[in-house]
Amino acid sequence: MNWQSLVDNRQRFFWLLQIAGWIGYALVNYIGSKVFEMRDIYVFVILLNAYAGCLMTVPLRYIYRKIWNASPWVLMIVVFGASYVTGTLWAVVQKFNLWEIYRHGYRPEEWFYYLQQGLDSVYIILCWSGLYFGVKYYQLLQSERQKALKATTMAHEAQLKMLRYQLNPHFLFNTLNAISTLILVKENKDANLMVARLSDFLRYTLNTDPIKKVPLEQELHALMLYLEIERVRFDERLKVNVDISAQAKEALVPSLILQPIIENAIKYAIAHLTEGGVIDIKAQVFANELLLEVGDNGPGTDILDGQLVNAQGVGVANTKDRLKTLYENNYSFVLSHNTPSGLKVNLRVPFEKAVKND
C-alpha cells in the first residue's frame, strides 16, 4: 500500500495518525519522567493517560465533521468549547491516574483539586483539534487537485480526439470525390478497388485509439494503406521512397500524424504534375529524438517564417495542434523548400521506444 492510497482512505489515515500521535505523546512523557527521575511505576500512569486521551478525542472527530460546513464563528466557538470540555475531563482522568497509581490511592480534601492545572491538557487538545483540521484541509486540497487534474486530462484527451477525428471527414471527402470521378468516367474496376482499400484504411483508423501513440512501423503500415488508395487514382504517376532506420521503426508516434502531410503533398504537388511525382519519407533517431521528414518534388509554394503563405485546409494546422497538445513545447515542425523543387516537412519529437508484447 503506497502513501497516496493511505491518505485517500480517510478512516484508516485518521486511526494511523491518532495512534501514532498518542504514542508520540507517551514517549515524550516517558523521556520527561527519566529526566525528573520518576519511579518506574509512572510508566503505567503515562500509558493510561495516553490511552484516555486517545479515546476522549475520538468523539471530537464526529463533532467536527458535523460542523465542517458551518460559519467560521461557529467553528471557532465549537472547537474551543469542545476542546476545553474534553481537556478538562482529561485532566481529571490524569489526576485520578496519578493519585491512585503513583501516590497509592491519595484522595484530595476537595473535589475541585481534580480540576486544578487543567489548562495544559486543554492546550494539548486544542493542538489535536488544530492538527485534525489541518489534515482535513490537506485531504480536501489533495482531492480538489486530483479532480482538477482529472478534468484537465479529460479535456486534453477530448482535444486530441477532436483533432484526430477531424482528419477523417477531411480525408474521406477527398477520397469519395475521387471515387465519384472514377464512376463518372466509368472506371468501375478502379472505383471498386478504391472502395475496398478505403474500407481497410477506415477500419484501421477506427481500431486505433486516437489518444495513444503507436509504433512508427504501425504508422507506416497505415500510410501504405492510404497510399494504396491514392495509387488507384494516380497509378504509376505516384512514387514513394521510404527510408526508415530500424531504431526509428520502434519509436512511438501519434497515430496518423503523417497522413495529412502526405495527403497535402499528393493534393498540392503530385496532382499538379503531368508526369506524376515522388514523395520521400525518412525517419531516424538522433540525440534521443525522432526526426521525421516528408518531402515532395512538386511545384512548391511560398513560405514565410516556416508557414505556408496561401495555406488551405486543416491538415498542417491540425498536425501542429496535435503535436502542441501532446508534447507542449518539446517538439518542432518546420516547413522548407525541397531541393531541387517542392516542399519538405521536418518533424522532431522526443524518442519513446515502443514496448514489445511477448
Side-chain angles (χ1 to χ4, degrees):
M1 178 182 298
N2 56 32
W3 174 254
Q4 189 59 48
S5 62
L6 184 62
V7 172
D8 293 339
N9 190 326
R10 297 185 179 184
Q11 183 78 6
R12 188 174 296 172
F13 190 54
F14 169 80
W15 283 109
L16 173 66
L17 294 181
Q18 176 78 340
I19 294 171
W22 286 107
I23 289 176
Y25 167 83
L27 287 174
V28 170
N29 275 268
Y30 175 73
I31 295 172
S33 70
K34 290 298 182 182
V35 173
F36 292 104
E37 298 181 352
M38 305 292 285
R39 299 197 309 273
D40 292 341
I41 197 172
Y42 192 69
V43 173
F44 293 99
V45 176
I46 294 174
L47 292 176
L48 286 174
N49 289 344
Y51 180 68
C54 182
L55 290 181
M56 296 178 72
T57 49
V58 171
L60 294 179
R61 180 194 182 199
Y62 298 98
I63 293 174
Y64 295 159
R65 286 167 64 178
K66 290 288 185 182
I67 62 165
W68 179 257
N69 295 318
S71 64
W73 282 108
V74 173
L75 279 174
M76 291 177 61
I77 292 172
V78 173
V79 168
F80 278 98
S83 298
Y84 180 81
V85 172
T86 304
T88 302
L89 293 176
W90 185 40
V92 172
V93 172
Q94 291 182 82
K95 290 284 194 312
F96 181 82
N97 291 335
L98 177 65
W99 291 338
E100 287 291 331
I101 298 174
Y102 194 76
R103 296 188 179 180
H104 308 291
Y106 166 79
R107 297 287 192 279
E109 295 179 358
E110 300 292 339
W111 64 269
F112 59 82
Y113 283 110
Y114 284 98
L115 302 177
Q116 286 184 336
Q117 299 177 346
L119 283 180
D120 291 343
S121 300
V122 173
Y123 291 148
I124 292 174
I125 300 301
L126 276 174
C127 290
W128 184 97
S129 300
L131 287 172
Y132 174 83
F133 279 95
V135 171
K136 287 285 286 185
Y137 279 115
Y138 170 77
Q139 289 179 318
L140 182 63
L141 178 63
Q142 289 296 102
S143 177
E144 292 299 320
R145 185 176 297 171
Q146 289 178 1
K147 289 179 181 178
L149 182 61
K150 185 177 180 180
T152 303
T153 302
M154 292 176 66
H156 180 84
E157 292 179 354
Q159 184 181 10
L160 284 176
K161 288 181 178 180
M162 178 195 71
L163 291 171
R164 232 298 300 274
Y165 288 139
Q166 188 178 0
L167 297 175
N168 290 345
H170 178 69
F171 155 74
L172 192 59
F173 171 80
N174 291 336
T175 305
L176 291 177
N177 189 44
I179 294 173
S180 176
T181 302
L182 289 173
I183 294 174
L184 287 175
V185 297
K186 297 183 179 180
E187 295 286 344
N188 294 336
K189 182 179 179 180
D190 289 342
N192 288 333
L193 183 60
M194 201 168 186
V195 168
R197 289 174 177 174
L198 174 63
S199 175
D200 292 336
F201 180 76
L202 291 180
R203 187 179 296 110
Y204 171 83
T205 62
L206 292 174
N207 291 335
T208 305
D209 192 334
I211 297 173
K212 295 181 179 179
K213 299 171 185 175
V214 299
L216 181 58
E217 189 172 14
Q218 182 176 332
E219 171 74 356
L220 289 173
H221 174 70
L223 288 177
M224 291 303 108
L225 288 175
Y226 167 73
L227 289 170
E228 286 298 322
I229 295 172
E230 296 296 347
R231 279 202 179 96
V232 175
R233 243 191 337 149
F234 293 96
D235 197 19
E236 297 299 325
R237 292 173 57 210
L238 174 60
K239 296 181 181 179
V240 180
N241 297 325
V242 179
D243 182 13
I244 310 293
S245 69
Q247 188 179 11
K249 288 181 180 180
E250 299 178 344
L252 289 174
V253 295
S255 62
L256 297 180
I257 195 67
L258 295 179
Q259 186 269 335
I261 299 174
I262 294 176
E263 182 179 353
N264 277 355
I266 293 174
K267 184 177 180 180
Y268 298 109
I270 309 301
H272 292 278
L273 298 175
T274 306
E275 297 180 355
V278 180
I279 294 177
D280 295 311
I281 304 172
K282 300 178 182 179
Q284 62 175 319
V285 177
F286 179 76
N288 206 33
E289 291 183 328
L290 175 66
L291 309 178
L292 297 167
E293 181 181 303
V294 176
D296 63 68
N297 64 339
T301 187
D302 295 331
I303 298 176
L304 180 62
D305 296 329
Q307 304 288 333
L308 294 175
V309 175
N310 298 316
Q312 297 179 350
V314 299
V316 172
N318 197 304
T319 301
K320 294 175 70 174
D321 287 342
R322 290 184 68 198
L323 291 171
K324 176 69 175 177
T325 304
L326 282 167
Y327 300 105
E328 296 183 351
N329 295 322
N330 193 19
Y331 79 97
S332 70
F333 184 97
V334 179
L335 282 166
S336 60
H337 292 289
N338 203 1
T339 303
S341 64
L343 285 178
K344 182 168 61 176
V345 179
N346 291 94
L347 280 75
R348 175 190 56 80
V349 297
F351 174 66
E352 301 174 72
K353 188 174 181 179
V355 178
K356 293 184 178 180
N357 297 322
D358 296 332

